Amino acid sequence: MGKVLRWGVLGASNFALRHMAPAIHAAVGAELVALATSNPAKAVGFQDFCPSLKVHSSYEALLADPGVDAVYIPLPNHLHVEWVMKALDAGKHVLCEKPLAMNAAEFDAVIAKRDATGLLAAEAFMIVHHPQWIRAKQLLTEGAIGKVNHVEVAFTYDNRADGANIRNRPETGGGSIPDIGVYAYGSARFVLGAEPVALEARIAYENGVDVFAEVSGKMTAPQGDFTYRGMTSMRLFPRQEAVFQGDTGMIRLTAPFNAEVFAEPVLELHRMGFVSTYERFPMARHYKLQVENFGRSVREGVAYPCPLEFSKGTQAMVDQIFAVAKPV
C-alpha cells in the first residue's frame, strides 16, 4: 500500500457530494479518484471540485478498478451489507455510512469477511474522530465531573416536506433511529464505555418509519450505573445537545453531531462553586479526520477508533429499543 489511499465513492448521493467526497479530496494521505453513478449529470458536482475524477457507470465497474484502494458507501441503508461484502470480495477497504446493517446479527458476516480478507471495514460513525468527543471522553475518564449519574441526548430535525427522502421510506431502511439514533445511543457508549441494562422506549410512526423516539432507562459503565434519556425525531424543530451530569459537575456539548453545520461546537464544563470553562473547536472537520484516521489504520496498522465490534454494539442497543418500544 502506497502513502496515498486512492478512494472511490459508490453512488452519487447528496450527502457524499456535500460532505464526504470533499472530505476525501481534502484529507491528507487520501486521493479521490473515482465515482460510480449511472447518471452522468450527478457526477458534475463532484467533478467541479475534482476535475480528474473517473466516473464509472456501475458499482461493479468501480469495484473492478485496480486504481481504487478503498471505497466509501453512501447508499440507502438496506443496501449497505450487500455492497460492503462485494467491496471486500473485490479487495477494497470499506468505509460505509451508518447504519452499516439493519440489525446486529448482520454484522457477523461482515466481521468474518473483514478478518478473512485482512482489509479494513468500518462504519462511518464520524463523531468519534471529532476532538470535542475525544476531549469529553478524556474528561469523563479522568473524573472531571465525578461519577456520572445521568446522560441526556437529543437529536432532532424536520424533513416532513421531503416525502421522497430515503429517511421517510420504509423500503430503504428509513426512520429517525436508523438515521440519527446511532448518534444518540452510540455517543454515550463511546465516551463512557457504557452498555444498556434496562430500557424503555416510546415510538411514533408515519408510513412505516419511526419519526419520533424517546428512550429512557439504565446503562452501566466501568465507573458505575447511570440513568439515560435519548430523544430523536424527524418531525421536530432542529435540536442537538448532549449532557453528562455527575455528582461534582456537568459536561454539555452544544453541537455534538453536526459540528459547524448545526452550530459551533462548544464543550461546556460546569463544576461546583459556579466554575465554568468553555472549549471551542472551530477548525475541526470530523469527516476529514475520519478519512485520515482510516488511511492511517490501513497504512500503519494502528487501531481504528470505531471498529465494527463497537458499531455492532450500538446496533444491538437499537435492536433492543425496537423490541421494547411502545407506540406513542
Side-chain angles (χ1 to χ4, degrees):
M1 182 64 61
K3 291 185 178 180
V4 175
L5 196 64
R6 300 168 299 177
W7 285 83
V9 177
L10 216 61
S13 75
N14 188 48
F15 182 82
L17 174 61
R18 291 188 297 117
H19 295 292
M20 279 303 298
I24 294 170
H25 188 60
V28 176
E31 182 182 4
L32 180 61
V33 298
L35 170 72
T37 176
S38 59
N39 184 349
K42 288 187 175 183
V44 173
F46 294 83
Q47 292 172 317
D48 284 343
F49 64 85
C50 187
S52 63
L53 190 69
K54 184 177 182 179
V55 179
H56 293 282
S57 61
S58 71
Y59 304 153
E60 291 85 356
L62 186 146
L63 294 183
D65 186 341
V68 173
D69 305 312
V71 296
Y72 165 67
I73 300 178
L75 300 173
N77 297 341
H78 71 297
L79 298 175
H80 287 174
V81 170
E82 174 188 355
W83 286 99
V84 169
M85 297 292 277
K86 288 181 177 179
L88 290 172
D89 281 334
K92 313 298 185 186
H93 303 282
V94 187
L95 181 64
C96 180
E97 265 311 317
K98 49 76 203 160
L100 186 145
M102 297 310 298
N103 60 72
E106 290 185 329
F107 273 88
D108 293 338
V110 180
I111 291 171
K113 181 72 70 174
R114 175 203 65 187
D115 293 345
T117 60
L119 297 164
L120 178 58
E123 184 180 70
F125 191 58
M126 78 291 186
I127 68 168
V128 303
H129 307 275
H130 197 287
Q132 69 171 332
W133 281 105
I134 296 170
R135 177 63 170 152
K137 183 174 184 177
Q138 177 191 12
L139 289 168
L140 292 167
T141 301
E142 292 173 351
I145 61 171
K147 180 191 176 298
V148 176
N149 292 314
H150 182 71
V151 174
E152 191 158 351
V153 184
F155 192 176
T156 67
Y157 61 89
D158 190 344
N159 72 348
R160 76 186 74 201
D162 188 5
N165 191 297
I166 61 173
R167 296 163 185 82
N168 284 319
R169 295 163 52 194
E171 68 272 18
T172 55
S176 78
I177 291 178
D179 186 39
I180 54 179
V182 290
Y183 298 124
Y185 318 141
S187 57
R189 296 186 62 248
F190 172 68
V191 291
L192 292 166
E195 296 295 347
V197 175
L199 298 175
E200 296 179 349
R202 300 187 311 124
I203 296 180
Y205 288 90
E206 289 181 14
N207 189 37
V209 300
D210 74 280
V211 297
F212 171 87
E214 187 176 50
V215 178
S216 61
K218 184 170 74 172
M219 297 185 72
T220 189
Q223 66 170 237
D225 294 350
F226 61 89
T227 56
Y228 172 85
R229 180 179 293 273
M231 188 261 288
T232 62
S233 179
M234 305 191 300
R235 297 294 184 269
L236 291 176
F237 183 81
R239 178 189 173 199
Q240 294 187 25
E241 187 176 34
V243 177
F244 302 86
Q245 227 168 327
D247 50 18
T248 63
M250 181 180 79
I251 289 173
R252 175 175 177 261
L253 301 179
T254 62
F257 308 120
N258 294 131
E260 297 298 338
V261 175
F262 174 76
E264 179 189 22
V266 180
L267 186 154
E268 303 175 0
L269 174 59
H270 303 281
R271 290 188 272 201
M272 305 295 287
F274 303 103
V275 176
S276 298
T277 60
Y278 301 84
E279 298 183 40
R280 289 174 164 80
F281 306 86
M283 301 304 293
R285 300 292 181 266
H286 49 200
Y287 298 118
K288 177 175 175 286
L289 292 169
Q290 177 178 241
V291 174
E292 290 174 350
N293 283 337
F294 190 97
R296 193 172 297 113
S297 293
V298 169
R299 291 189 300 270
E300 303 172 20
V302 299
Y304 189 65
C306 185
L308 289 177
E309 288 79 1
F310 174 85
S311 298
K312 178 183 176 181
T314 300
Q315 185 60 49
M317 186 172 174
V318 169
D319 294 349
Q320 181 179 341
I321 288 165
F322 277 121
V324 302
K326 296 180 180 179
V328 174

